[in-house]
Amino acid sequence: TYKDTSMKRALEQFPYNCPPNHMVRPEFQFLRDISSQQGLIKNLSEKTNAVLKMSELTTMLRNAKRKGTETIIDALITAWDGGVLENNSKGDPASADAYQLNVIAATQPGRLANEMTSEEIESGFANRWIYIFGSGKPPIAITEELNQEEAGRLNYELFSRIDHYHRGTVLKLNDRAKELWIDWFTKDQASIREDGDEDRADMRARHANLIRKIALIYAISDGATEIDARHLQPAIEFIAWMWGEVKAVMRSWGASMDIKLEERI
């Protein structure tokens, strides 16, 4: 399937008819492509639990290089950290401080290479993403239909497990997970020092955060009361796979003559 079709299947198939005759409706709202900091803050002030879907990531990256919309990346960095977002425009002031923003975006590797530069890496914008790579496949005349009954069952089961947690519940690493975490962290820091490349070190700076987030998702999906090694290990392996792919494509980021000339100017 095409990238837009894939995102639509993942995000826009709600609600499903779920057993036993229940309808599960996610609480989040969809935001479409956001071109400015003001637009993002305005939306988050009204839709505090939102999923921002960008059918083409590089459109936003290009907007970040234009006068008047260059603060969009800073706003997304602040949002990732959970900080307060404020727009002090006299005409339409807005602020957002109690929000949950998730972003899903797609692009082709070549287009990303043309827009991603050392500035995005050094600012910390590039290392806050989870990159999922895929290989192109030949066109299929008839695609397999989604099994809505099975999807509905899984969807209902997942939301039921999430609803089981009381507000304010904290899932901590158990002893097995702590032992695994310390071992991974020690080896990862040693690997960064041994590598010695500044850009690669910047891109790996938030791997620990990403692993913990993914492990938490696994644990919640499992209905667990703590994060176990069985949740942490696949999260570590996932980020290791991602880093292998990112490390390979990073060589082309900002490598075009136009990008290099623009950075020097």
Side-chain angles (χ1 to χ4, degrees), residues 21-41:
N21 299 320
H22 285 285
M23 194 74 83
V24 175
R25 297 180 183 274
E27 297 179 356
F28 58 79
Q29 302 291 325
F30 282 110
L31 303 180
R32 303 302 172 181
D33 295 344
I34 299 295
S35 60
S36 68
Q37 180 192 51
Q38 291 80 4
L40 177 64
I41 297 173

Side-chain angles (χ1 to χ4, degrees), residues 134-149:
S135 301
K137 298 179 181 179
I140 301 174
I142 300 176
T143 58
E144 184 177 352
E145 291 187 9
L146 182 68
N147 185 333
Q148 292 207 2
E149 182 177 350

